[in-house]
C-alpha cells in the first residue's frame, strides 16, 4: 500500500508541474525533489525549459540536484543543444548547482559566446564553477572575447566571472585594453580595476575606465 501511495503522490506531483497556478507548480517541484526518482528527471528538465516563473524554475533546479548525478548529467548536457534559450540557460544553471566537473567538456565556446545574453551569462557562471585546475587561463582568454557586449547587467556578470578566476585573467585583460573598440577597452579596464580593488564597485570602475579611455591612458593596478 505504501509503495502504491508513493506512486500516486508522485503522479500527482508531476501533474502539478503543469498547473496554471505558479504556487501549485512550486509545491509540486518541492514534492518531486523530496521523493527523488530517476523517472522524474526527464519531466523536470523538460519543465525547466518552459517554466515562466523564476521561483518555480529555482525549485525545479533544486529538485534535480536531489537526483543522482549519473541520471541528471547526461540529460542536462543534451539540453544544452536545445533551440530554446531558456532550456539552455536553465540547464547551465542547474549544472553549476550540481557542480560536477564531468560536465566541463559540454561548456563549449559556442555557449560561452551564445547570442542570447541570458544563456551566455549562465555559461560564464557555470564555466567558472566547473573549470578544471590548470584550465583557468584558457577560459579567461575565451571570456575576454565577450568583453564589451550587452547591457550593464551582462557586463557585470562577465566581470564577476573573470574576477572569480583570479590573477590568471591579467594577460587576457591586458590584450583587451588595446582592442580597437572603445567599449571593449572600457569593460576590460573596469574589470581590471575590480580585480585589484573589489570594493570599488562596478559603476565606479566603469566610469573611471571611460575617463581613462577618453584620455587614451591605462589604469594601473
Amino acid at each position: 500500500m505504501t509503495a502504491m501511495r508513493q506512486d500516486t503522490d508522485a503522479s500527482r506531483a508531476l501533474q502539478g508541474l503543469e498547473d496554471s497556478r505558479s504556487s501549485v507548480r512550486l509545491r509540486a517541484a518541492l514534492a518531486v525533489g523530496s521523493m527523488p526518482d530517476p523517472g522524474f528527471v526527464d519531466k523536470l528538465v523538460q519543465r525547466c525549459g518552459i517554466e515562466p516563473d523564476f521561483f518555480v524554475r529555482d525549485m525545479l533546479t533544486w529538485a534535480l540536484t536531489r537526483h543522482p548525478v549519473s541520471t541528471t548529467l547526461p540529460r542536462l548536457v543534451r539540453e544544452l543543444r536545445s533551440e530554446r534559450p531558456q532550456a539552455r540557460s536553465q540547464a547551465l544553471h542547474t549544472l553549476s548547482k550540481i557542480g560536477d566537473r564531468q560536465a566541463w567538456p559540454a561548456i563549449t565556446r559556442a555557449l560561452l559566446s551564445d547570442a542570447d545574453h541570458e544563456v551566455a551569462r549562465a555559461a560564464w557562471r557555470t564555466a567558472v564553477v566547473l573549470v578544471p585546475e590548470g584550465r583557468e587561463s584558457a577560459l579567461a582568454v575565451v571570456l575576454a572575447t565577450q568583453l564589451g557586449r550587452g547591457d550593464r547587467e551582462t557586463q557585470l556578470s562577465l566581470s564577476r566571472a573573470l574576477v572569480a578566476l583570479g590573477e590568471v585573467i591579467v594577460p587576457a585583460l591586458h590584450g583587451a585594453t588595446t582592442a580597437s573598440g572603445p567599449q571593449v577597452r572600457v569593460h576590460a579596464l573596469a574589470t581590471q580595476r575590480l580585480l585589484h580593488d573589489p570594493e570599488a564597485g562596478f559603476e565606479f570602475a566603469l566610469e573611471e575606465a571611460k575617463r581613462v579611455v577618453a584620455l587614451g591612458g591605462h589604469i594601473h593596478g
Side-chain angles (χ1 to χ4, degrees), residues 177 185 189 209 211-220:
T177 59
R185 293 205 303 275
L189 288 168
R211 288 194 298 273
V212 170
V213 168
L215 295 169
H218 298 273
I219 292 177
H220 299 285

Side-chain angles (χ1 to χ4, degrees), residues 107-124:
I107 313 302
T108 60
R109 192 180 186 117
L111 285 169
L112 293 168
S113 58
D114 198 285
D116 185 281
H117 291 328
E118 282 303 314
V119 176
R121 287 170 63 177
W124 302 336

Side-chain angles (χ1 to χ4, degrees), residues 8 10 15 22 28 44 101 110 130-131 146 150 161 196 210 214 217 219 221:
T8 305
Q15 286 171 2
S22 59
L44 288 168
R101 284 181 169 171
L130 300 182
V131 63
Q146 301 303 297
H196 296 128
K210 283 178 185 173
I219 292 177

